[in-house]
Amino acid sequence: LFFPIGLLVLYALIAYIRRKIAKPNYQGKTVWIMAHPQASADLAYEFNRTGAELIISARNVTELERVKKACSDPSKVQVVGLDMTNFSEVEKVSAEVLTKLESQGKKLDVLFKTLGLDALLVPQYSFENHKTLFEVNVNGPYKHMQAVIPHMIKNQSGQIV
């Protein structure tokens, strides 16, 4: 009885130590972060610090430029303005970004999506608000993933978070 418990404790200890000493390395990886600039800033700083080439997207390009300048290596950050409620723009911009990556011999390794609007003012919540929320939170990300997934399948690589 004590032997299996001892092995389990030892395994947990080894796993804990590995997590503490493992250093993330995204050198040579391309990460596309889709989020509000305030939400994406910490993600962008961390991925950039660990060597990733970044693509950061949102509607507010001015804020994205601020995030880019604050990164440890801004030369590895590409800002791409993208309105998730404009589905033709989502398809066009996604295709352009992926074509550019492929022409440089690169691939998209991680697509990190933290988009979203919420309905904080429920009493003033209208059907128009509902449509906008659905477009930003469901339809836009769907169209974006629809454009990105074939690229990932072709390269037999990629993660969507």
Side-chain angles (χ1 to χ4, degrees):
L1 180 66
F2 289 113
F3 183 70
I5 293 173
L7 282 177
L8 190 58
V9 169
L10 181 62
Y11 176 77
L13 181 62
I14 291 170
Y16 175 78
I17 291 170
R18 278 186 174 165
R19 282 193 307 271
K20 288 297 180 185
I21 63 172
K23 302 288 184 221
N25 183 0
Y26 285 92
Q27 198 68 39
K29 303 286 185 188
T30 304
V31 178
W32 193 347
I33 300 173
M34 302 285 305
H36 185 278
Q38 291 173 338
S40 67
D42 290 335
L43 286 169
Y45 303 150
E46 186 62 20
F47 276 117
N48 188 251
R49 185 188 65 74
T50 59
E53 297 213 13
L54 288 179
I55 304 163
I56 53 176
S57 291
R59 275 189 290 191
N60 190 338
V61 175
T62 305
E63 280 297 307
L64 291 175
E65 289 292 345
R66 182 192 57 76
V67 170
K68 175 181 177 174
K69 287 178 186 162
C71 283
S72 58
D73 187 357
S75 67
K76 288 186 170 186
V77 181
Q78 178 185 352
V79 171
V80 176
L82 189 57
D83 180 358
M84 294 304 279
T85 63
N86 183 339
F87 304 137
S88 61
E89 178 185 336
V90 170
E91 290 175 336
K92 179 178 172 249
V93 169
S94 298
E96 288 171 356
V97 167
L98 295 172
T99 301
K100 182 178 176 183
L101 280 175
E102 289 173 353
S103 72
Q104 296 170 344
K106 298 176 184 175
K107 63 183 184 311
L108 181 60
D109 298 292
V110 180
L111 175 61
F112 205 103
K113 301 180 89 48
T114 61
L115 293 169
L117 294 176
D118 59 9
L120 294 176
L121 301 174
V122 176
Q124 291 87 17
Y125 186 75
S126 68
F127 186 70
E128 288 303 314
N129 291 48
H130 174 77
K131 284 178 22 182
T132 301
L133 288 172
F134 205 80
E135 287 177 0
V136 171
N137 296 339
V138 178
N139 293 337
Y142 173 80
K143 291 300 277 182
H144 189 245
M145 286 188 292
Q146 203 175 30
V148 169
I149 288 173
H151 170 83
M152 290 180 166
I153 290 171
K154 182 173 98 177
N155 290 300
Q156 298 180 347
S157 173
Q159 298 175 334
I160 298 175
V161 180

